[in-house]
Amino acid sequence: MKVVLFCGGQGMRLREMPEPVPKPMATIGYRPLLWHLMKYYAHYGHQEFILCLGYRADVIKHYFLNYNECVSNDFVLSNGGKNIELLRKDIEDWRITFVDTGLNCNVGQRLMRVKKLVENDDIFLANYADGLSALPLSELIESFKKQNKVACFVGVNPTASFHVASLESDGVVREIGHIGRSRTRINGGYFIFRKEIFNYIKEGEDLVEAPFHRLISEKQLVAYPYDGFWACMDTFKEKQHLEDLHAAGLAPWQVWDPGVKVPEGS
């Protein structure tokens, strides 16, 4: 199943980074977030990727053109460094299509610009490429197939430190609590679409607003509730959180690594 990854945004809130890079290229350990996300999908057998590029597309292209398998894999060095024998590989079986979808396009229009690459597939996957999860992908796909709808997004519990308040008509607060304890779910950025999704997106439209409302009106949009680990990377603080989990060996999104422990509460 093909995986469309939206990698074209500028990542404005990550400008604390020392170098201007696309948000998916912010590193976690040895590799950028984009690699971790692709590794996650490949673990479930989905190894054909379509990268919707925009801001600093050159950074993403050069990264894969100059990919060094030795950075994150075991290898044997011999003959004074002349011979390298890799004991395992990361991306050998991946097929990656790089598509320039414009510098200032929204997600809906980036998807439309790769339509010809997925329109013959009954179902394809998509992702905002700004967050990581331990979501059981195979279960999500099976659930979607059974429901026979056009589109699905993963509904997760918000992790930001906001408080939700219920107010009376005169502004008196009736109740207040952390948003994570509310019954609110947010769009986690993990999607499954049938090819019919393109019938719902008009010229210039973003993905979630008008197209999703059209789907809702026809009862063709579903959300898959997920309460396990999910974390976005919109700010430097959130990036540091993912870095800390990785450094401690508590990175639940690394479903491909049996040695990774899942932290409590994930």
Side-chain angles (χ1 to χ4, degrees), residues 69-71 73-77 83-88:
E69 290 277 15
C70 297
V71 171
N73 287 304
D74 299 335
F75 63 93
V76 176
L77 188 70
N83 297 332
I84 297 175
E85 178 188 351
L86 282 163
L87 301 183
R88 63 179 183 182

Side-chain angles (χ1 to χ4, degrees), residues 119-183:
E119 63 182 347
N120 293 324
D121 296 32
D122 289 334
I123 299 174
F124 64 94
L125 304 166
N127 197 293
Y128 280 156
D130 64 356
L132 297 168
S133 179
L135 171 75
L137 186 61
S138 297
E139 294 180 17
L140 167 64
I141 293 172
E142 286 306 309
S143 174
F144 178 69
K145 288 179 176 178
K146 290 177 182 177
Q147 290 176 300
N148 198 32
K149 302 298 183 181
V150 171
C152 173
F153 67 89
V154 175
V156 300
N157 293 314
T159 58
S161 298
F162 296 116
H163 290 85
V164 178
S166 299
L167 309 180
E168 302 289 356
S169 59
D170 58 0
V172 174
V173 177
R174 182 188 317 121
E175 184 180 1
I176 190 169
H178 190 280
I179 191 171
R181 294 193 296 271
S182 71
R183 299 180 62 184

Side-chain angles (χ1 to χ4, degrees), residues 108 111-112 115 119 124 150-151 193-203 205 207 210-212 214-215 218 220:
L111 181 58
M112 291 299 290
K115 174 182 177 181
E119 63 182 347
F124 64 94
V150 171
F193 296 124
R194 294 186 186 276
K195 58 186 177 183
E196 288 79 12
I197 184 63
F198 296 106
N199 298 332
Y200 294 83
I201 306 174
K202 296 182 179 180
E203 182 67 30
E205 290 182 340
L207 177 63
F212 273 24
R214 292 187 190 104
L215 289 164
E218 297 181 15
Q220 288 298 322

